[in-house]
Amino acid sequence: MEVVHARCAGLDISKKDAKVCVRIAGAGRRKTVETVTTWASMTGQILALRDHLAAQRVTCVVMEATSDYWKPFYYLLEDLSGVEVLLVNARHVKTVPGRKTDVADATWLAQLGAHGLVRGSFVPPAEIRQLRDLTRARTAITRERAREAQRLEKLLEDAGIKLSAVASDILGVSGRAMLEALIAGDRDPTALADLAKRRLRAKIPELTEALNGRFGEHHAFLARVHLDLIDRHTAAINQLTARIEQVIEPFQAFRALICTIPGIATLTADVIVAETGADMSRFPTAKHLAAWAGTTPGNNESAGKVKSSKTRPGNPYLQGALGAAAMACAQNPRTYYGARYRRIASRRGPKKANVAIQHSMLTAIWHMATTGTLYTDPGADYYTRLNPERTRTRAIRQLQAMGYRVTLDTAP
């Protein structure tokens, strides 16, 4: 097999150390030499490893994406002059079962890299990595805040307070005022219901009945704890959002561009920018971007038969943001994505329809970023205009199935 890198290194990384195999291909009668050494994961040792690789004139370094333990090694080695550092997916470099050791893994990675049999994963530049940290932290804290709100709702159920059965948001202006009054010691349902604001005042009779429970000092103490945690999470989210607005400044044009797509708001666009890097040149085609994001099925063919295959694992943060955007489109009857969602959901179910909308969004994002054009919605009647004969035939069959006799007449 052709040797692409005569001097290649493979790193099997763990939390405390890394096994490093330096492979030097032989020439002529000289045999290939593979030397394995162990290096600690502390910064000083990694810098010494960098000097060692430079002394060995290594031109390619291959490492697995193991948890977050690869980051110290990758970030310190990526600046090594004349060296290609590849972070590879562990799924793509599995060795023979039953022969797995740290030394064997490092040797195997070095062999694969030497013959050019691995592809590096997408590792964004430093500014995008900072943006990723911020958006992922905001997503995690937002989820934690939602969990605290659920715990608060369960506490109210334990106290017999059915506020969530009447008010859609127990943490809104009205709900928060009622909760603060309950914690302060006011147990009168009529007085509590009178704290309702705006449209919720039309439900005062239902609120009066819902606020009649067994809310005591124990519930007041726990409710105060949950509300304080929710407020802290909200403050942290606001701080992260302000910081994101500063870091994302160089990518404002890309964010504004993709915000023209239905269903994609500013928060969703922030995640898309952070996860894709706002640089579509890394993906040769829109299909490559969709496959990287995990919105396309894999290939499963054997003996000439193509079998069903699920979508492959992709970026969970990007999938979460696009999934929420797809659901927003599904609830909008006036857009092309809404029509496409309902068309697919009627035949294949809502889950597959959601993934299909994510795939369509990524395709649009790739083309928009490549050409710099704004999104133009084809309209909710796109499929009707695409094939009017088919639409008419379907409508006639539906009416006939309901027992009607259909006669068509051309409009004047």
Side-chain angles (χ1 to χ4, degrees), residues 11 33 54 75 78 169 185 192 203 236 239 312-313 354 389 391:
L11 276 67
V33 178
Y75 295 160
E78 66 176 341
D169 183 10
L192 292 171
K203 299 182 179 180
Q239 292 177 0
R312 294 171 292 179
N354 187 289
E389 186 69 25
T391 303

Side-chain angles (χ1 to χ4, degrees), residues 203-371:
K203 299 182 179 180
I204 285 181
E206 294 90 340
L207 286 171
T208 302
E209 186 176 357
L211 293 169
N212 184 17
R214 42 179 295 275
F215 194 92
E217 292 300 323
H218 171 70
H219 301 101
F221 174 80
L222 288 176
R224 180 78 274 161
V225 171
H226 291 311
L227 287 176
D228 289 344
L229 287 174
I230 290 172
D231 291 340
R232 292 173 189 169
H233 287 146
T234 301
I237 291 170
N238 293 335
Q239 292 177 0
L240 286 169
T241 301
R243 179 61 179 171
I244 288 172
E245 289 298 323
Q246 298 176 7
V247 177
I248 207 173
E249 185 64 31
F251 313 101
Q252 284 284 3
F254 179 82
R255 184 175 72 168
L257 185 68
I258 63 178
C259 278
T260 60
I261 300 176
I264 296 182
T266 302
L267 297 181
T268 304
D270 291 344
V271 177
I272 294 174
V273 172
E275 300 303 329
T276 63
D279 182 11
M280 296 298 110
S281 63
R282 300 179 179 272
F283 306 99
T285 64
K287 292 182 179 180
H288 286 81
L289 173 61
W292 172 79
T295 59
T296 56
N299 294 323
N300 187 5
E301 181 180 351
S302 179
K305 296 181 180 180
V306 179
K307 302 179 182 179
S308 177
S309 179
K310 298 180 181 179
T311 55
R312 294 171 292 179
N315 188 311
Y317 298 94
L318 182 59
Q319 287 178 336
L322 290 175
M327 286 305 301
C329 290
Q331 298 171 2
N332 189 344
R334 297 183 298 276
T335 63
Y336 162 74
Y337 286 143
R340 177 171 171 79
Y341 177 90
R342 289 184 293 276
R343 181 185 178 92
I344 299 175
S346 63
R347 296 180 287 110
R348 308 194 66 186
K351 293 183 178 180
K352 291 185 178 180
N354 187 289
V355 176
I357 298 303
Q358 294 182 41
H359 185 282
S360 298
M361 285 183 173
L362 287 171
T363 302
I365 289 171
W366 188 89
H367 286 287
M368 291 167 62
T370 303
T371 61

Side-chain angles (χ1 to χ4, degrees), residues 43-337:
T43 300
Q45 283 287 298
I46 299 176
L47 292 175
L49 171 62
R50 185 171 66 175
D51 296 337
H52 172 70
L53 296 177
Q56 294 293 324
R57 293 178 292 165
V58 170
T59 60
C60 179
V61 177
V62 182
M63 63 182 73
E64 279 185 358
T66 307
S67 183
D68 286 336
Y69 303 142
W70 60 270
K71 291 183 177 180
F73 288 88
Y74 188 95
Y75 295 160
L76 292 177
L77 294 178
E78 66 176 341
D79 297 331
L80 196 57
S81 177
V83 177
E84 181 183 8
V85 182
L86 299 178
L87 178 70
V88 298
N89 192 329
R91 285 172 168 264
H92 303 163
V93 292
K94 285 187 176 181
T95 184
V96 180
R99 300 181 182 179
K100 187 183 185 309
T101 64
D102 293 343
V103 173
D105 286 348
T107 305
W108 178 242
L109 289 173
Q111 293 171 357
L112 292 176
H115 296 96
L117 297 178
V118 288
R119 291 184 299 177
S121 300
F122 169 51
V123 180
E127 58 272 15
I128 291 294
R129 293 201 293 259
Q130 294 177 8
L131 184 59
R132 273 189 178 184
D133 292 339
L134 294 170
T135 56
R136 291 180 179 184
R138 183 173 64 182
T139 299
I141 296 175
T142 301
R143 291 173 179 172
E144 286 299 324
R145 184 177 63 178
R147 292 189 183 100
E148 285 299 331
Q150 291 176 346
R151 295 185 185 106
L152 176 60
E153 183 178 353
K154 290 180 179 180
L155 177 67
L156 294 178
E157 291 289 337
D158 181 77
I161 303 297
K162 304 292 292 185
L163 180 60
S164 60
V166 181
S168 59
D169 183 10
I170 63 174
L171 294 175
V173 176
S174 301
R176 189 61 184 259
M178 296 172 191
L179 290 174
E180 292 291 349
L182 279 169
I183 294 172
D186 190 354
R187 305 289 189 266
D188 183 9
T190 304
L192 292 171
D194 193 53
L195 296 174
K197 307 291 184 182
R198 297 180 182 178
R199 289 184 296 178
L200 198 58
R201 293 196 65 82
K203 299 182 179 180
I204 285 181
E206 294 90 340
L207 286 171
T208 302
E209 186 176 357
L211 293 169
N212 184 17
R214 42 179 295 275
F215 194 92
E217 292 300 323
H218 171 70
H219 301 101
F221 174 80
L222 288 176
R224 180 78 274 161
V225 171
H226 291 311
L227 287 176
D228 289 344
L229 287 174
I230 290 172
D231 291 340
R232 292 173 189 169
H233 287 146
T234 301
I237 291 170
N238 293 335
Q239 292 177 0
L240 286 169
T241 301
R243 179 61 179 171
I244 288 172
E245 289 298 323
Q246 298 176 7
V247 177
I248 207 173
E249 185 64 31
F251 313 101
Q252 284 284 3
F254 179 82
R255 184 175 72 168
L257 185 68
I258 63 178
C259 278
T260 60
I261 300 176
I264 296 182
T266 302
L267 297 181
T268 304
D270 291 344
V271 177
I272 294 174
V273 172
E275 300 303 329
T276 63
D279 182 11
M280 296 298 110
S281 63
R282 300 179 179 272
F283 306 99
T285 64
K287 292 182 179 180
H288 286 81
L289 173 61
W292 172 79
T295 59
T296 56
N299 294 323
N300 187 5
E301 181 180 351
S302 179
K305 296 181 180 180
V306 179
K307 302 179 182 179
S308 177
S309 179
K310 298 180 181 179
T311 55
R312 294 171 292 179
N315 188 311
Y317 298 94
L318 182 59
Q319 287 178 336
L322 290 175
M327 286 305 301
C329 290
Q331 298 171 2
N332 189 344
R334 297 183 298 276
T335 63
Y336 162 74
Y337 286 143

